[in-house]
Amino acid sequence: MNSPRRAEENLRFQLRPEAACEDFDGRALVLLCDSLQLRELNAAARKIVARLDGRRTVKDIAGALAAEEGTPEPETLVSVRDALLQMEAQGVVRRMVKLVAERPENMSAAKYLVDPDISFRQEDDGGLLYNVETDSLEVLNPVAVAIWSFLAAPRTQAEVVDHLCAVCAGAVREQVAQDTGEFLESMLKKGFIGVVEEPA
């Protein structure tokens, strides 16, 4: 069985399709068009993003950068992996995975991820999702937007609950857990999120 760290070395990422990247003197700004947010990338992160094509693994990118910069590959691998996971959490890049639309047998162990083909628009009092395949629209309240944003990276139901309890003052954990389970099941059924298919 592969260790989580070894599995992370084999992950593939690409710049999100709704992101536009512009270089400025060794740094870069990424505009997340769907949410109208800016993210700044340092020079190291920009070099990583420039190599993303959805086919190269974290290990491939780290090897190329280590050779180019004359740095030890193990250290470069850790830096590249950490940078990509951070950019994934910020919504700059997305993981190349296969999503399954069926309800998992064990909902608590499943990792949920937003469907990259869904359009999201931030609003003052929540957000809007649009699924072009089904021509369906979903209105999100601010808490649902917090979940949607958090699912830019694969997360378990327990991780979503922990996140909501941390960001929502006075939240009652049992109620958050129940509401989160219902929300995830509803979004999965409507095709807005998927379950990450783990490699065999």
Side-chain angles (χ1 to χ4, degrees):
M1 185 171 186
N2 283 346
S3 70
R5 188 158 291 196
R6 173 80 49 159
E8 287 174 347
E9 293 174 7
N10 295 316
L11 291 176
R12 295 174 295 122
F13 291 88
Q14 71 178 30
L15 187 66
R16 294 184 71 86
E18 63 277 3
C21 191
E22 187 68 35
D23 293 315
F24 297 96
D25 297 324
R27 295 177 303 157
L29 282 178
V30 176
L31 171 63
L32 304 176
C33 298
D34 58 350
S35 59
L36 297 178
Q37 296 178 348
L38 284 174
R39 300 282 189 259
E40 185 177 350
L41 301 181
N42 61 28
R46 181 63 182 117
K47 285 182 181 180
I48 294 167
V49 167
R51 287 169 171 76
L52 296 179
D53 60 5
R55 293 185 303 274
R56 293 183 183 134
T57 65
V58 171
K59 189 172 184 174
D60 295 337
I61 294 168
L65 287 172
E68 178 182 301
E69 298 171 358
T71 56
E73 192 168 333
E75 291 173 24
T76 305
L77 181 60
V78 171
S79 297
V80 169
R81 182 197 69 220
D82 291 350
L84 283 166
L85 293 175
Q86 181 180 11
M87 286 188 282
E88 178 185 43
Q90 295 172 336
V92 174
V93 300
R94 72 177 176 103
R95 192 178 300 214
M96 304 301 297
V97 294
K98 183 175 180 185
L99 292 180
V100 180
E102 293 85 35
R103 184 181 191 274
E105 289 181 27
N106 183 355
M107 283 191 70
S108 62
K111 290 192 176 187
Y112 299 89
L113 184 67
V114 297
D115 184 323
D117 297 326
I118 300 298
S119 296
F120 169 73
R121 189 172 90 193
Q122 183 84 40
E123 298 286 329
D124 291 336
D125 57 350
L128 296 172
L129 300 177
Y130 178 67
N131 185 337
V132 71
E133 276 188 31
T134 60
D135 193 30
S136 57
L137 184 70
E138 186 77 17
V139 178
L140 301 181
N141 65 30
V143 174
V145 169
I147 296 172
W148 180 264
S149 300
F150 192 61
L151 292 178
R155 313 285 188 177
T156 64
Q157 182 173 333
E159 289 171 325
V160 174
V161 171
D162 290 343
H163 174 69
L164 290 177
C165 288
V167 299
C168 298
V172 178
R173 184 171 195 78
E174 293 77 22
Q175 187 64 52
V176 171
Q178 179 181 340
D179 292 347
T180 299
E182 291 171 3
F183 177 78
L184 292 174
E185 190 165 351
S186 171
M187 291 291 100
L188 186 64
K189 188 182 230 179
K190 294 175 183 177
F192 290 104
I193 65 173
V195 175
V196 175
E197 184 176 80
E198 299 292 343

